[in-house]
């Protein structure tokens, strides 16, 4: 059996997998790396998964996400792009836990853009690997919306490059702390207002302006009462996701289609914005992270029969 | 004599002018419209200027800025662009105060952009009028940096159009609340880091991307220690002012020169960014607001001998 952990900034999702990779049990606990009391990751891990060890004995654990960042349990390296996804399994960072069994962390990815500046991701590499068709040969663009959206270009089973867009974080700041948030009511979706925001971002870009100017329309459309307070959230959301879509589509030389990976509600918004921008958007199946973790664990086992090889390796002391 | 008020969101600047428009006395009090206890603007006005009335008797008062907004003392209208600046004096909003003398508020400006969305400004119209050369005939671009930067195009003594960029507000949010602010130390200027940020914004724009992607460089340059913590503030400032410069220069069809109006330190940053973007930047003299208020008061007096005509008009009851 294997414990697969999607351990991010705000939450820890734990999966217990059987020897064929099926999810036997799963749970989410609010023990993201910034919420672990005193940074005691061992205790948090025990709290989340201790009963699985008690019930099933020593098992290997594979984790991805911010648990491998400088603020996490142990800093895991970044692998340079272009990176064959099969290489991830060869570059795991291992640490010892009281449970005795192996605990490994998946590396992140880094790529240096044409301006010589590095970009980084951590966690998304595992989602991509989980979302990649087994026989993928062509070039694809995966889009993983979130606090920091990642646009990832793959060729066959390698990540060739990627780029981060801070859309989610900027949107949350504007909503919570800016003058734009002050005249919003609620956070309901409103497809028409969302489209209107998206269209405005596109038209501004055509006009030569960009986000810093487009944002102010969320203020003046409220002032002139052309957007209702209850639609202002959706308008700003459409405007910002639309702005990201325009930036990213230009950056990746106007792909005709993208594949969206992530939380269904957010993916639905990106799908709507993509359609509005004339781009086909496919949606990856759910549970890409756990599928990616399983693939990496299997590849690690093939590459080296220990220590991610299965139950027999650990001596079971705790 | 005349009391001229620059009454904004966070502070109230009051000027006592003699009959030739010279500043006899000035003061700034932290009684911006959002800081007036209980919205009692009359009491705030009395607190700021009561002793001037006591010393000099009834006088007319002319105010500009957010005091004329919906959240202010009385909502003053917006005048549509193109707007002859001389018209502002004909469209003052007047209210009665306990001091008996006239209290008038300068209108704001509005313009509808080519996409049918209104833009607004309030207070900057007075600064522009104060900064305009008396014999101005040509087309000029004035840039007023701030929480919401205003780029204003004038032709002779009319405002033909303008556009707002939310640079200052977004920068403050990123600094105070985002992951980018977490690894910054202090807010010292660092000309080299500022230029580096500005250049990166330009290069990203050339690459087809925009601000949402460029922002993440402020994160990764810290992660890879290519920017020092104490230089990160200046880098982000350069990146954002650079992004505004690129957007606005495109929006206004690449003017060769601009005139900067405003607070000297911020104007110096914009001058540096303009130079970096290959644009000539002149700097308007200081005290443009009080000069603008004086010009509007004189124009109002010429148009109608009362009630902004001078000391003789009011009956002096209080």
């Amino acid at each position: 059996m294997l414990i697969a952990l999607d351990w991010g900034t705000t939450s820890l999702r734990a999966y217990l997998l059987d020897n064929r990779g099926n999810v036997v049990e799963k749970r989410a606990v609010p023990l993201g790396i910034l919420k672990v009391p005193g940074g005691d990751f061992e205790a948090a891990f025990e709290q989340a998964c201790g009963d699985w060890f008690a019930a099933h004995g020593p098992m290997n654990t594979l984790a991805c996400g911010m648990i491998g960042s400088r603020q996490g349990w142990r800093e895991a390296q970044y692998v340079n792009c272009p990176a064959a996804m099969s290489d991830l399994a060869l570059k795991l960072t291992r640490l010892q836990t009281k449970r005795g069994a192996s605990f490994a962390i998946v590396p992140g990815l880094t790529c240096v853009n044409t301006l010589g500046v590095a970009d980084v991701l951590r966690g998304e590499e595992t989602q991509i690997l989980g979302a990649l068709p087994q026989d993928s040969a062509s070039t694809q663009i995966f889009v993983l919306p979130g606090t920091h959206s990642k646009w990832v270009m793959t060729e066959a089973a390698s990540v060739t490059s990627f780029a981060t867009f801070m859309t989610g974080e900027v949107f949350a700041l504007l909503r919570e702390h800016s003058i734009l948030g002050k005249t919003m009511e609620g956070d309901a979706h409103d497809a028409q207002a969302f489209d209107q925001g998206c269209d405005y971002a596109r038209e501004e870009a055509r006009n030569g302006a960009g986000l810093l100017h487009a944002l102010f329309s969320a203020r003046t459309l409220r002032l002139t009462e052309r957007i209702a307070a209850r639609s202002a959230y959706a308008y700003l959301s459409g405007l910002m996701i639309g702005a990201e879509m325009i930036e990213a589509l230009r950056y990746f030389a106007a792909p005709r289609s993208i594949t969206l990976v992530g939380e269904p509600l957010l993916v639905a918004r990106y799908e709507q914005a993509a359609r509005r921008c004339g781009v086909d958007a496919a949606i990856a199946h759910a549970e890409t992270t756990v599928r990616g973790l399983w693939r990496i664990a299997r590849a690690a086992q093939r590459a080296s029969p220990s220590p991610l090889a299965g139950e027999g390796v650990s001596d079971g002391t705790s």
Side-chain angles (χ1 to χ4, degrees), chain A residues 143-163:
Chain A
V143 181
L144 300 91
T147 306
H148 297 169
S149 286
K150 307 288 179 179
W151 286 60
V152 182
M153 182 181 270
T154 62
E155 201 178 310
S158 288
V159 170
T160 49
S161 71
F162 63 88

Side-chain angles (χ1 to χ4, degrees), chain A residues 34 79 83 90 125 196 225 290:
Chain A
L34 297 182
V79 174
L90 303 176
E125 73 295 323
Q196 191 182 344
E225 289 171 10
V290 68

Side-chain angles (χ1 to χ4, degrees), chain A residues 17-41:
Chain A
L17 305 185
D18 68 17
N19 287 332
R20 298 160 84 183
N22 298 311
V23 176
V24 177
E25 205 179 329
K26 64 178 173 178
R27 55 184 61 153
V29 289
L31 286 170
I33 66 158
L34 297 182
K35 297 182 173 178
V36 168
D40 188 347
F41 296 104

Side-chain angles (χ1 to χ4, degrees), chain A residues 5-13 31-34 36 40-46 48 63-68 73 103 289 293:
Chain A
L5 302 181
D6 175 6
W7 202 335
T9 305
T10 54
S11 74
L12 162 57
R13 287 168 211 279
L31 286 170
I33 66 158
L34 297 182
V36 168
D40 188 347
F41 296 104
E42 178 105 42
F45 178 46
E46 186 66 26
C64 70
M66 295 309 281
I67 191 65
W73 197 343
F103 188 109
T289 305
L293 285 166

Side-chain angles (χ1 to χ4, degrees), chain A residues 64-226:
Chain A
C64 70
M66 295 309 281
I67 191 65
S69 70
R70 210 166 291 171
Q71 292 76 40
W73 197 343
R74 180 76 54 83
E75 190 170 1
Q77 66 182 306
Y78 288 111
V79 174
N80 287 318
C81 285
M85 297 305 275
S86 56
D87 288 352
L88 294 178
L90 303 176
K91 294 177 178 172
L92 301 180
T93 293
R94 296 163 202 281
L95 52 86
Q96 281 303 312
T97 71
K98 289 184 190 152
R99 282 292 176 181
S102 163
F103 188 109
I105 303 175
V106 177
L109 294 180
T110 184
C111 80
V112 175
N113 69 19
T114 53
L115 307 172
V117 172
D119 207 327
V120 291
L121 59 75
R122 197 180 275 295
E124 291 88 355
E125 73 295 323
T126 305
Q127 286 178 273
I128 300 287
L129 185 57
L132 265 175
Q134 289 277 25
D135 55 352
S136 173
S138 60
T139 297
Q140 281 188 273
I141 301 277
F142 290 93
V143 181
L144 300 91
T147 306
H148 297 169
S149 286
K150 307 288 179 179
W151 286 60
V152 182
M153 182 181 270
T154 62
E155 201 178 310
S158 288
V159 170
T160 49
S161 71
F162 63 88
T164 302
F165 297 82
M166 289 186 64
T167 317
E169 182 164 7
V170 175
F171 176 75
L173 292 178
L174 289 171
R175 189 199 166 197
E176 284 163 38
H177 301 288
S178 83
I179 194 166
L180 304 183
K182 288 210 173 85
T183 57
M184 280 180 191
E185 267 172 27
D187 59 2
H189 188 54
D190 172 333
Q192 198 183 339
F194 184 93
D195 278 347
Q196 191 182 344
C198 195
D199 290 352
Y200 190 69
R202 294 174 66 204
E203 288 162 5
E204 279 277 32
R206 258 188 230 120
N207 251 15
L211 185 65
L212 291 170
H213 180 243
L215 283 176
F216 200 61
S217 67
R219 168 85 178 132
T220 56
L221 289 172
R222 286 289 303 124
L223 269 179
T224 55
E225 289 171 10
R226 284 178 53 195

